[in-house]
Amino acid sequence: MATNPQNRVAIVTGSGRGIGKAIALRLARDGYDVCVNDILANKSQVEKVTSLIKSMGRNSFPFLADVSNPEEVESMVEASVSELGPLNTMVANAGIAQVKALLDLTEQDLKRMFEVNVYGIFNCYSSAAKQIIKQGTGGKLLGAASIVAFKPFPLLSHYSASKWAVRGMTQAFAMEMAPHKITVNAYAPGIVGTAMWDLIDEELGKLKGAKKGETIKKYTTDLIALGRTSVPEDVAKTVSFLCSPDSDYVTGQTIVVDGGIIFT
Ligand code: NAD
């Protein structure tokens, strides 16, 4: 679809660290100028990623915003257009996780999970889509799902449900955005060694009596066909394809990149 390889601009949310950072750097290597987003608490990390991208010869700027706030997301899209030019690609990567038994979940736990992981994706998809439609250029929307969007993990129930919603939203957006030459896809990582999995490992360990590092090791051995924990760059490679003209005929898909845990 209409991604001009000469002039491409992407926003990557939650790109101060982890998978988002790897995606931002990979897209810069692919020739994208990148708006690097995260929350205020990660300001210095966002600035570091921005500098790294500039040192690669691409344009970049930091924008602190909470994706669960629609006004902040709208301002981010406006700022990106004014700093970097027309928007081609939105990578709605930001997300949170929480390990908790279903019967212990509070209304607030459930609410915050959906505010960031579902409303956040919706805010990013819709603000970017409105901008791309206004430009008439076509473009690409991407969202972070997970393997738990196909098969939930126990003790990660509301996280899993939020990722199922990302998958559903991605399919619905794909159908409605097709007339505007916008493709909409999600990526579904498996077990990636980031701060998010440090938290999951620690919290599952507390509940199951395992030491730090043991749970991720066990899941890696027992679940991953390729036998190693994923690194953020594994995910960035798939996202690079989904952000490139090579994926122009792909839409509405949630692409699993997990080393062989879930088979779709
Ligand atoms: P991470 O926690 O290392 O990084 C997530 C980033 O998002 C952080 O920098 C965080 O500050 C930011 N963020 C959180 N809430 C935000 C908000 N409201 N607004 C803006 N930024 C916000 O996590 P990660 O492992 O890099 O995960 C990235 C995405 O991939 C998430 O959506 C996650 O659910 C998904 N994912 C991760 C794994 C994994 O194994 N790590 C597996 C499947 C899916």
Side-chain angles (χ1 to χ4, degrees):
M1 223 156 272
T3 36
N4 176 358
Q6 296 309 313
N7 179 26
R8 294 188 296 164
V9 171
I11 297 172
V12 185
T13 68
S15 52
R17 70 179 190 204
I19 295 171
K21 177 181 175 184
I23 291 171
L25 294 176
R26 175 59 199 249
L27 293 187
R29 205 177 100 194
D30 291 345
Y32 266 101
D33 294 333
V34 185
C35 168
V36 179
N37 155 264
D38 213 294
I39 48 175
L40 181 62
N42 280 350
K43 186 170 187 279
S44 65
Q45 285 163 286
V46 167
E47 283 164 356
K48 266 186 214 147
V49 177
T50 304
S51 306
L52 274 173
I53 292 174
K54 284 188 171 161
S55 74
M56 295 161 78
R58 303 304 320 175
N59 202 357
S60 181
F61 87 108
F63 196 93
L64 300 172
D66 179 338
V67 295
S68 69
N69 181 319
E71 285 86 30
E72 290 184 25
V73 173
E74 224 167 273
S75 304
M76 174 170 68
V77 170
E78 271 170 27
S80 178
V81 172
S82 112
E83 290 280 332
L84 303 175
L87 180 68
N88 307 107
T89 299
M90 165 65 82
V91 184
N93 168 78
I96 55 169
Q98 186 184 31
V99 176
K100 212 163 179 186
L102 257 175
L103 298 183
D104 295 333
L105 280 184
T106 65
E107 191 184 345
Q108 189 50 37
D109 290 333
L110 199 58
K111 210 167 157 198
R112 190 58 192 156
M113 185 61 68
F114 274 70
E115 275 172 0
V116 177
N117 290 10
V118 183
Y119 287 63
I121 296 269
F122 173 78
N123 293 336
C124 291
Y125 277 5
S126 56
S127 282
K130 284 175 190 162
Q131 174 60 33
I132 295 169
I133 292 167
K134 198 162 73 185
Q135 293 167 188
T137 53
K140 290 175 183 277
L141 307 179
L142 272 91
S146 163
I147 50 168
V148 298
F150 293 85
K151 185 175 185 297
F153 274 19
L155 301 170
L156 284 159
S157 56
H158 58 329
Y159 175 74
S160 303
S162 75
K163 295 301 185 180
W164 276 72
V166 171
R167 199 172 141 217
M169 188 93 75
T170 298
Q171 294 177 6
F173 260 89
M175 290 184 277
E176 295 201 21
M177 293 303 112
H180 303 291
K181 302 200 180 323
I182 298 172
T183 60
V184 192
N185 292 291
Y187 49 97
I191 299 173
V192 192
T194 64
M196 182 175 280
W197 247 96
D198 287 344
L199 170 89
I200 296 172
D201 172 81
E202 205 171 331
E203 295 298 317
L204 282 176
K206 274 187 211 157
L207 292 171
K208 298 190 165 192
K211 284 198 200 112
K212 221 173 155 182
E214 273 179 13
T215 307
I216 191 164
K217 214 166 158 187
K218 181 166 167 46
Y219 278 33
T220 297
T221 315
D222 293 354
L223 302 179
I224 305 178
L226 292 178
R228 69 164 172 87
T229 310
S230 180
V231 291
E233 289 71 23
D234 295 321
V235 183
K237 286 176 189 169
T238 300
V239 172
S240 164
F241 162 70
L242 291 173
C243 292
S244 83
D246 287 350
S247 63
D248 282 351
Y249 200 58
V250 179
T251 198
Q253 304 304 313
T254 296
I255 309 288
V256 174
V257 45
D258 68 352
I261 302 175
I262 293 284
F263 299 101
T264 57

